[in-house]
């Protein structure tokens, strides 16, 4: 990505580039619409932040990347409250992964970003399907520019590319104001790239282990002489093999946005994002974890259960229109309409059973063809501003949102389900492709949500602020899923209250409380959806600034209670079923980020938690009780063109009890990464990244009763050009 462009270039001096950017933007929108018509796809909901430009000036979003000036710290965020507050003014834990940090450590997808975030674990249960956990509970709230809806139908398929975003905000704890449902884990808010005030462009070429190749480009420019219309285009193409046998991926990404100033007080933004993921040899399910005698399996890291003919393709399209209008007197109105589509087409091979340690017998085949189409429409409108009461100035935000998600899928079961596997076909990919017409089953259902919200920040005293509000949501579902009814209706009004006290000019204390309401789609053994999750979330802590605001630190203690939380009970063939458990999570976390000295950037966070059921016994034992996330870079004073760095992710041991006396354990482990970047000249840089330096072998997750191994040592080299 480009470094910050400090020299302003008059738009009129680049008339040949303006038509190119405009044409690319329009072409992206047209191509995305055509693709959506015949493939039907979902991205994370696509929208944009409330901006508050004055009457004569548009908001300035500068292109950032390999520049230490942006660093690892963000000062403001509206991700927790719909109010644009500083992180110190926000009574919740907020982590920010900046563009600079993503570029330094090649965090090119959402899995990599969240795996390097304080308090978050990435549960890679399969090669192309992932869950995320924070504070002991699943993360289901994902937003783009503050607008979104939970992952109504479960997990995230594919790997969302981060080339489209300037930064990612992670609000830990229940986001009772900014999300339509409360969940005590976290809310992930992707902040989208916007056009800049002048011409800027960048391109990068990355070559990595297992023949991985990635090409990305980013162009931003005014589209007319006055600069009232601007555009930006981002494109990515990536492909490569894998350390896993027979597994290969291809990914293409395109994003275009046009912003037009309709008047002195009105800004219209229209954009489209498209991502096409194709994988061959991807795993459906994963490796068995124990033998019939209860002893653990231990396969080579590259072992893959898929067949040679397996493939899993996911395509997403997201279009959005956003209107920001300044009402005057410090008030702004923002409305967003977005439509997202996701399609999945696959032929998959699942292996189930428990192998005999001596003979390998005991595993069986489950081939299936699967297709799904998921569409989602969202509308959000809200106002924010200030008012005076009792001689003091206060902040207020309120609004409403509506969403509708539709899912239709069809499973064609392959002939030969239950065929015993032999050593020759277990993990070699040699199982022959069957006809997928043994029987058919599927889903057709809809989820609709209506929400109203309000948040007010009262200045009770010079040093004491009260943030209070509510979120009222009604969720309705209808239809069928594999023969089971999805008919349900639930509603709840969840209050939120938070206090922030400025103990010193650079130090604040805070506390907050909210209630939890989250409908869930997981089904029990009878195919009936579990009742909504209910509970509460509270935290208290401190936040402060260091080195004249160049760095920040925070600490928190938290407690979250969830009743009827879905947890996988077992597998019924290839289908997982769940039961509801009552769980309480308590813990503490500390975090430090920013510029610690000239040229030294760092981000570090440590989390310690305890998760227990209603009987006081350890629950969700697949969640590590201690987590350490660290990233740091240093620009060498003697060689200012050179920047070196390292990141370290450590977690404590985890386990899963499959049945009495049979337990799979993953010991604690640390994964070390190294980086170096050298500025060849003003426009060209060369970067090297080395991941899993110690070549640690470990399981990616114990979220399910199956798992696979993480990538061994690997490296990449990136050549970047900026203008």
């Amino acid at each position: 990505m480009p470094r910050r462009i400090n020299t302003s270039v008059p738009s009129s001096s680049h008339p040949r580039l303006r038509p190119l950017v405009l044409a690319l933007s329009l072409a992206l929108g047209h191509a995305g619409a055509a693709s959506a018509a015949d493939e039907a796809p979902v991205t994370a909901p696509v929208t944009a932040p409330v901006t508050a430009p004055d009457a004569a000036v548009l908001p300035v979003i500068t292109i950032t990347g390999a520049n230490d000036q942006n660093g690892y710290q963000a000062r403001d965020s509206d991700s927790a409250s719909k109010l644009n507050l500083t992180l110190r003014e926000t009574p919740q834990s907020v982590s920010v992964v900046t563009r600079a940090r993503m570029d330094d450590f090649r965090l090119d997808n959402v899995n990599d970003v969240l795996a390097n975030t304080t308090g978050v674990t990435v549960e890679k249960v399969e090669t192309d399907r992932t869950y995320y956990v924070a504070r002991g509970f699943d993360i289901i709230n994902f937003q783009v520019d503050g607008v979104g809806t939970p992952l109504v139908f479960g997990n995230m398929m594919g790997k969302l590319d981060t080339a489209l975003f300037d930064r990612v905000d992670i609000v830990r704890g229940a986001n009772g104001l900014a999300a339509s449902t409360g969940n005590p884990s976290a809310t992930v808010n992707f902040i989208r790239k916007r056009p800049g005030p002048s011409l800027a462009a960048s391109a990068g070429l990355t070559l990595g282990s297992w023949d991985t190749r990635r090409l990305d480009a980013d162009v931003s420019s005014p589209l007319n002489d006055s600069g009232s219309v601007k555009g930006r285009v981002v494109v990515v193409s990536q492909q490569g093999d894998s350390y896993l046998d027979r597994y290969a991926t291809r990914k293409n990404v395109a994003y275009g946005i046009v912003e037009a100033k309709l008047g002195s007080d009105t800004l219209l933004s229209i954009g489209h994002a498209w991502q096409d993921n194709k994988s061959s040899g991807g795993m459906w399910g994963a490796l068995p974890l124990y033998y019939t005698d209860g002893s653990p399996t231990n396969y080579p890291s590259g072992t893959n259960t898929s067949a040679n003919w397996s493939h899993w393709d996911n395509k997403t399209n997201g279009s959005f229109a956003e209107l920001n209008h300044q009402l005057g007197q410090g008030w702004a109105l923002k409305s967003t309409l977005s439509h997202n589509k996701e399609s999945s087409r696959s032929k998959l091979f699942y292996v189930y059973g428990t192998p005999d340690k001596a003979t390998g017998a005991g595993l069986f085949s489950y081939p299936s063809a699967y297709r799904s189409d998921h569409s989602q429409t969202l509308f959000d409108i809200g106002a924010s501003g200030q008012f005076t009461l009792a001689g003091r100035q206060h902040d207020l935000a309120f609004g409403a949102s509506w969403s509708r998600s539709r899912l239709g899928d069809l499973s064609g079961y392959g002939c030969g389900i239950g065929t015993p596997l032999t050593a020759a076909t277990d993990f070699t990919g040699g199982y022959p492709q069957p006809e997928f017409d043994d029987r058919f089953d599927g889903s057709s259902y809809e989820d609709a949500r209506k929400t109203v919200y309000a948040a007010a920040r009262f200045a009770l005293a010079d040093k004491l602020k009260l943030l209070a509000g509510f979120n009222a949501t009604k969720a309705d579902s209808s239809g069928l899923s594999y023969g089971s009814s999805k008919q349900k209706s639930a509603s709840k009004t969840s209050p939120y209250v938070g206090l922030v006290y400025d103990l010193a000019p650079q130090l604040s204390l805070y506390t907050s409380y909210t209630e939890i309401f989250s409908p869930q789609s997981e089904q029990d053994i009878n195919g009936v959806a579990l009742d909504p999750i209910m509970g509460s979330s509270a935290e208290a802590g401190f936040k402060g600034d260091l080195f004249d605001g160049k760095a920040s630190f925070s600490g928190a203690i938290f407690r979250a209670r969830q009743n009827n939380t879905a947890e996988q009970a077992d597998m019924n063939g290839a289908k997982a079923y769940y039961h509801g458990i009552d769980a309480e999570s308590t813990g503490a976390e500390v975090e430090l980020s920013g510029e610690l000295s000239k040229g030294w950037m760092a981000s570090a966070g440590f989390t310690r938690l305890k998760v227990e059921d209603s009987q006081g016994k350890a629950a969700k034992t697949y969640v590590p009780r201690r987590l350490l996330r660290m990233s740091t870079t240093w620009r060498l004073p003697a060689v200012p063109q050179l920047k070196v760095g390292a990141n370290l992710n450590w977690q404590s041991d985890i386990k899963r009890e499959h049945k009495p006396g049979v337990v799979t354990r993953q010991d604690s482990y640390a994964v070390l990464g190294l980086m170096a970047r050298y500025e060849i000249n003003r426009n060209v840089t060369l970067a090297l990244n080395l991941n899993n330096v110690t070549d640690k072998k470990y399981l990616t997750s114990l979220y399910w009763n199956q798992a696979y191994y993480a990538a061994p040592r690997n490296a990449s080299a990136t050549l970047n050009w900026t203008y």
Side-chain angles (χ1 to χ4, degrees), residues 62 186 223 336 364 374 384 386 391 417 426 439 468 494 577 689 709:
T62 50
L223 301 178
T336 303
F364 304 90
H374 175 195
S384 62
Q386 296 181 325
I417 288 178
D426 277 358
R439 61 187 177 90
S494 301
Y577 64 89
N689 290 82
Y709 297 99

Side-chain angles (χ1 to χ4, degrees), residues 555-600:
I557 56 174
F558 56 86
R559 183 186 68 184
R561 292 175 177 172
Q562 270 197 350
N563 297 327
N564 202 44
T565 304
E567 183 177 69
Q568 184 184 350
D570 209 337
M571 301 291 294
N572 185 7
K575 183 179 180 181
Y577 64 89
Y578 299 79
H579 60 187
I581 66 168
D582 297 341
E584 179 178 278
S585 168
T586 57
E589 58 195 12
V590 291
E591 187 171 30
L592 170 69
S593 63
E595 186 177 11
L596 304 186
S597 67
K598 184 175 178 57
W600 179 21

Side-chain angles (χ1 to χ4, degrees), residues 4 99 103 112 239 242 261 297 307 365 446 519 602:
R4 186 183 300 273
R99 182 75 256 168
D103 290 342
D112 293 341
Q239 61 180 329
S242 168
K261 188 176 180 183
T297 58
S365 67
E446 177 180 297

Side-chain angles (χ1 to χ4, degrees), residues 138-279:
D138 286 2
I139 300 174
I140 61 171
N141 285 324
F142 287 82
Q143 301 175 338
V144 176
D145 290 335
V147 177
T149 193
L151 293 175
V152 175
F153 304 120
N155 48 67
M156 182 175 289
M157 292 188 291
K159 301 179 181 70
L160 179 66
D161 202 276
T162 56
L164 284 59
F165 309 112
D166 265 330
R167 75 173 203 241
V168 182
D169 292 358
I170 300 94
V171 182
R172 290 186 298 282
N175 199 348
L177 293 177
S180 63
T181 59
N183 188 285
S185 54
T187 297
V188 180
N189 187 16
F190 299 97
I191 309 301
R192 189 186 295 110
K193 289 179 177 177
R194 298 292 175 131
S198 58
L199 173 68
S202 70
L205 173 65
T206 301
L207 301 177
S209 299
W210 309 299
D211 200 26
T212 299
R213 291 151 287 164
R214 178 182 173 96
L215 178 65
D216 55 79
D218 186 346
V219 180
S220 176
S221 174
L223 301 178
N224 61 1
D225 291 337
S226 68
S228 62
V229 181
K230 300 177 293 184
R232 188 166 185 172
V233 174
V234 179
V235 293
V236 175
S237 181
Q238 179 176 319
Q239 61 180 329
D241 295 324
S242 168
Y243 69 98
L244 293 170
D245 299 336
R246 302 179 302 284
Y247 183 56
T249 60
R250 286 183 295 156
K251 176 171 63 174
N252 291 297
V253 182
Y255 163 64
I257 180 173
V258 174
E259 290 189 343
K261 188 176 180 183
L262 303 184
S264 60
D265 300 320
T266 307
L267 181 68
L268 174 66
S269 304
I270 299 176
H272 184 85
W274 167 78
Q275 181 165 330
D276 186 8
N277 293 326
K278 297 183 184 297
S279 70

Side-chain angles (χ1 to χ4, degrees), residues 10 30 71 85 127 184 250 272 275 316 320 322 383 388 419 442 447 586 602 607 618 707:
H30 177 74
L85 307 177
T127 52
R250 286 183 295 156
H272 184 85
Q275 181 165 330
T316 62
F320 72 94
E322 174 192 291
T388 302
T419 301
D447 182 277
T586 57
T607 303

Side-chain angles (χ1 to χ4, degrees), residues 21-45:
V21 177
L22 179 58
L24 285 171
S25 300
L26 295 176
L28 285 172
H30 177 74
S35 173
D38 55 19
E39 289 284 4
V42 163
T43 62

Side-chain angles (χ1 to χ4, degrees), residues 139-479:
I139 300 174
I140 61 171
N141 285 324
F142 287 82
Q143 301 175 338
V144 176
D145 290 335
V147 177
T149 193
L151 293 175
V152 175
F153 304 120
N155 48 67
M156 182 175 289
M157 292 188 291
K159 301 179 181 70
L160 179 66
D161 202 276
T162 56
L164 284 59
F165 309 112
D166 265 330
R167 75 173 203 241
V168 182
D169 292 358
I170 300 94
V171 182
R172 290 186 298 282
N175 199 348
L177 293 177
S180 63
T181 59
N183 188 285
S185 54
T187 297
V188 180
N189 187 16
F190 299 97
I191 309 301
R192 189 186 295 110
K193 289 179 177 177
R194 298 292 175 131
S198 58
L199 173 68
S202 70
L205 173 65
T206 301
L207 301 177
S209 299
W210 309 299
D211 200 26
T212 299
R213 291 151 287 164
R214 178 182 173 96
L215 178 65
D216 55 79
D218 186 346
V219 180
S220 176
S221 174
L223 301 178
N224 61 1
D225 291 337
S226 68
S228 62
V229 181
K230 300 177 293 184
R232 188 166 185 172
V233 174
V234 179
V235 293
V236 175
S237 181
Q238 179 176 319
Q239 61 180 329
D241 295 324
S242 168
Y243 69 98
L244 293 170
D245 299 336
R246 302 179 302 284
Y247 183 56
T249 60
R250 286 183 295 156
K251 176 171 63 174
N252 291 297
V253 182
Y255 163 64
I257 180 173
V258 174
E259 290 189 343
K261 188 176 180 183
L262 303 184
S264 60
D265 300 320
T266 307
L267 181 68
L268 174 66
S269 304
I270 299 176
H272 184 85
W274 167 78
Q275 181 165 330
D276 186 8
N277 293 326
K278 297 183 184 297
S279 70
S280 58
M283 277 194 275
W284 183 33
L287 301 169
L289 294 175
Y290 60 95
Y291 294 109
T292 52
D293 64 0
S295 61
T297 58
N298 185 18
Y299 299 105
S301 295
T303 305
N304 187 346
T305 60
S306 71
N308 291 327
W309 43 263
S310 298
H311 71 270
W312 197 340
D313 302 338
N314 296 287
K315 186 177 293 184
T316 62
N317 280 271
S319 301
F320 72 94
E322 174 192 291
L323 190 67
N324 284 283
H325 181 67
Q326 302 304 308
L327 301 171
Q329 310 257 327
W331 280 84
L333 179 70
K334 172 190 170 184
S335 57
T336 303
L337 176 65
S338 62
H339 185 67
N340 309 300
K341 291 186 175 182
E342 177 188 63
S343 68
S344 180
R345 303 289 186 266
S346 61
K347 290 182 179 179
L348 302 170
F349 185 66
Y350 175 73
V351 174
Y352 69 97
T354 305
D356 180 84
K357 191 171 186 178
T359 67
L363 297 178
F364 304 90
S365 67
Y366 202 110
S368 180
Y370 178 76
R371 61 182 296 155
S372 70
D373 295 293
H374 175 195
S375 65
Q376 188 179 70
T377 302
L378 304 104
F379 178 71
D380 185 279
I381 184 168
S384 62
Q386 296 181 325
F387 66 98
T388 302
L389 179 66
R392 292 184 179 274
Q393 195 170 53
H394 316 278
D395 302 298
L396 177 65
F398 59 90
S401 62
W402 170 89
S403 69
R404 173 175 290 157
S405 302
R406 290 190 173 101
L407 175 69
D409 63 9
L410 179 67
S411 292
Y413 298 97
C415 298
I417 288 178
T419 301
L421 301 177
T422 65
T425 56
D426 277 358
F427 306 126
T428 64
Y431 188 90
Q433 179 174 327
E435 295 295 327
F436 296 97
D437 57 2
D438 183 65
R439 61 187 177 90
F440 296 92
D441 204 351
S443 303
S444 179
Y445 62 100
E446 177 180 297
D447 182 277
R449 305 196 179 198
K450 301 173 184 176
T451 298
V452 294
Y453 58 87
R457 180 173 177 262
F458 299 99
L460 303 182
D462 290 343
K463 296 183 178 181
L464 182 63
K465 306 296 189 296
L466 169 68
L467 180 61
F470 71 91
N471 184 302
T473 295
K474 187 176 190 299
D476 298 287
S477 296
S478 61

